[in-house]
Amino acid sequence: MTQRLVLVINCGSSSIKFALRREADGKPLMSGMAERLGSGRASLSWRAANTQQEITLADGEHATAMTALMPLIKQHADQPLSAVGHRVVHGGEHFTRAQQIDASVLDAIQANAALAPLHNPANLTGIHAAMRVFPDVAHVAVFDTAFHQSMPAHAYRYALPEALYQQYAIRRYGFHGTSHQYVTDQASKLTGRQPEEGAWLSAHLGNGCSTCAVLNGRSMDTSMGLTPLEGLVMGTRSGDVDPNLHAHLQRTLGWDLMRIEQLLNRESGLLGLSGLTNDMRQLEEAAAQGHAGAILAIEVFCYRLARSLFSMCAALPRLDGLLFTGGIGENSAKVRARTLAHMAAIGLKLDHNANDNAPKGVATAIHAQGSPMIWVIPTDEERQIAQESLALLEH
């Protein structure tokens, strides 16, 4: 029987990941990324068979990247697509699982754009572009928030008046659910547990960052909240700040809400702390040369990450292990080491040789003897999205 073919579009705030996958295959037929979107260094790269190619993108915008990508997908698809799976960041309380996209789903995604201003509009760009090129194929939305719908009320409710939740659904939602679900499932398999078994801390670290406590395949708590701004220090996002900062900036500087939102979402985080860049690779290079802003940015990032992971332990009855994933989590031995230096109180100990020499793209244990497990596990959100898209179409 012919295995079905799925195109996965993961359209994020500064990148577009894509993969053309055959059902049940571990590796995609074609995959790639448009990255550094919104900057003067935007590019589109892809790999198919044994070849890899890259082109620059003139204006570096999402729409330009999607326009360049779609003919390449048509060129490499060797059979009709069964589905196009789209990552969508915010589903609000509308969606607790994947949904086939129709006009009502598009409207709901747009309605939640105010809660994820860096993401839902980009997600919609990818959906509309793909639907124009593949109008006769089922398109499926897989929501980052859906995995976290298992959180108990004491984890997702804010200490605000009841009416704000009942009438306006103001609560904590959480994000990166596709990644947290994938890596914790992989951890259970790698450690000989049954599927969806284990008590894990998961740290997804990229341009956006979040932590999650997962018990037996269910999210019990996570660091992001109503929007992807809450929680950790990120590439350009501040993470947690004093909620009264908005009023303080308005009173002292006369800033309106749009200006403050711009500050917290696009000018803060690693970029704001360093005064240099939001790219951890460049920050580590600059820190090695003594750049004070880069050194501070890395230290704050790692300390706040450790503090968040400590807090996630409250949601678990025990700790089987800690998982690092995402571009920074998978590739920065320095970030892992600095974070774990703050976590000795719960017995997490790093094997520094294993950490420093962890191979790229391969799940690797990096804990010292006697420590709870610490793994680096490459995330594969595209594979998870493909699986959920095909599973939906079977019902």
Side-chain angles (χ1 to χ4, degrees):
M1 185 171 110
T2 303
Q3 292 190 32
R4 293 173 293 178
L5 197 62
V6 185
L7 169 63
V8 176
I9 302 291
N10 182 345
C11 204
S13 58
S14 63
S15 67
I16 301 172
K17 296 180 182 178
F18 57 91
L20 187 62
R21 308 195 73 114
R22 203 183 305 281
E23 186 176 6
D25 280 1
K27 294 184 178 180
L29 292 175
M30 175 196 180
S31 64
M33 175 186 289
E35 58 182 332
R36 298 187 178 94
L37 298 178
S39 77
R41 299 176 291 115
S43 64
L44 171 65
S45 60
W46 67 95
R47 177 178 295 175
N50 295 319
T51 63
Q52 185 165 350
Q53 299 182 62
E54 181 174 347
I55 59 174
T56 57
L57 298 173
D59 62 9
E61 298 300 327
H62 284 80
T64 303
M66 291 300 301
T67 299
L69 170 61
M70 288 306 165
L72 298 174
I73 298 298
K74 282 194 165 183
Q75 177 184 338
H76 288 88
D78 58 1
Q79 67 184 69
L81 294 174
S82 293
V84 181
H86 298 268
R87 177 203 181 203
V88 178
V89 167
H90 212 308
E93 288 197 320
H94 296 282
F95 304 111
T96 60
R97 62 183 182 88
Q99 295 285 325
Q100 188 163 343
I101 297 172
D102 58 17
S104 65
V105 172
L106 289 172
D107 288 344
I109 295 170
Q110 181 62 55
N112 284 313
L115 298 176
L118 298 185
H119 295 89
N120 274 33
N123 301 153
L124 284 168
T125 296
I127 291 170
H128 288 305
M131 291 182 83
R132 284 194 296 269
V133 178
F134 302 106
D136 300 320
V137 178
H139 291 255
V140 177
V142 178
F143 299 92
D144 269 12
T145 48
F147 179 61
H148 300 298
Q149 291 298 307
S150 56
M151 289 193 299
H154 64 254
Y156 72 71
R157 285 293 299 274
Y158 289 115
L160 295 171
E162 176 78 8
L164 290 176
Y165 172 64
Q166 294 294 343
Q167 297 178 33
Y168 304 104
I170 294 176
R171 49 159 286 182
R172 303 181 68 249
Y173 290 96
F175 303 90
H176 296 137
T178 306
S179 179
H180 291 303
Q181 182 177 5
Y182 179 82
V183 297
T184 52
D185 284 351
Q186 291 299 303
S188 294
K189 294 174 184 176
L190 288 164
T191 57
R193 289 166 168 77
Q194 294 297 315
E196 297 187 347
E197 181 184 3
W200 307 106
L201 295 177
S202 174
H204 176 102
L205 310 175
N207 193 52
C209 303
S210 68
T211 59
C212 187
V214 180
L215 180 64
N216 299 331
R218 292 166 61 83
S219 172
M220 304 308 293
D221 199 359
T222 190
S223 58
M224 285 180 166
L226 175 72
T227 76
L229 183 59
E230 184 178 343
L232 304 177
V233 172
M234 305 176 221
T236 63
R237 279 172 270 172
S238 64
D240 290 341
V241 295
D242 186 326
N244 212 37
L245 175 65
H246 295 69
H248 177 74
L249 291 174
Q250 193 280 324
R251 284 195 300 266
T252 58
L253 301 179
W255 288 7
D256 61 17
L257 286 176
M258 289 185 63
R259 178 66 189 93
I260 297 169
E261 185 176 64
Q262 171 77 11
L263 168 77
L264 297 178
N265 280 286
R266 298 182 183 273
E267 300 173 9
S268 299
L270 293 172
L271 174 63
L273 280 165
S274 69
L276 186 65
T277 179
N278 65 321
D279 190 320
M280 183 61 77
R281 295 165 292 188
Q282 295 178 34
L283 287 175
E284 290 189 359
E285 293 173 1
Q289 297 173 10
H291 189 286
I295 293 170
L296 176 64
I298 294 170
E299 289 296 320
V300 173
F301 180 92
C302 294
Y303 174 73
R304 291 277 292 273
L305 171 58
R307 193 174 71 176
S308 178
L309 289 166
F310 264 110
S311 72
M312 289 295 124
C313 289
L316 299 174
R318 66 182 189 280
L319 177 60
D320 291 330
L322 166 61
L323 317 175
F324 287 98
T325 195
I328 297 172
E330 295 168 31
N331 296 305
S332 177
K334 179 174 182 177
V335 164
R336 297 191 297 261
R338 288 299 305 139
T339 300
L340 287 161
H342 295 296
M343 301 192 69
I346 55 173
L348 287 166
K349 298 178 182 178
L350 192 64
D351 180 327
H352 289 279
N353 183 60
N355 182 52
D356 291 342
N357 295 288
K360 294 186 185 302
V362 179
T364 306
I366 59 171
H367 50 274
Q369 187 173 3
S371 168
M373 289 182 287
I374 309 168
W375 282 81
V376 179
I377 300 181
T379 192
D380 196 339
E381 294 171 280
E382 289 75 32
R383 187 174 186 179
Q384 183 72 25
I385 291 168
Q387 292 170 350
E388 292 190 39
S389 298
L390 290 176
L392 176 68
L393 298 181
E394 291 171 357
H395 291 83

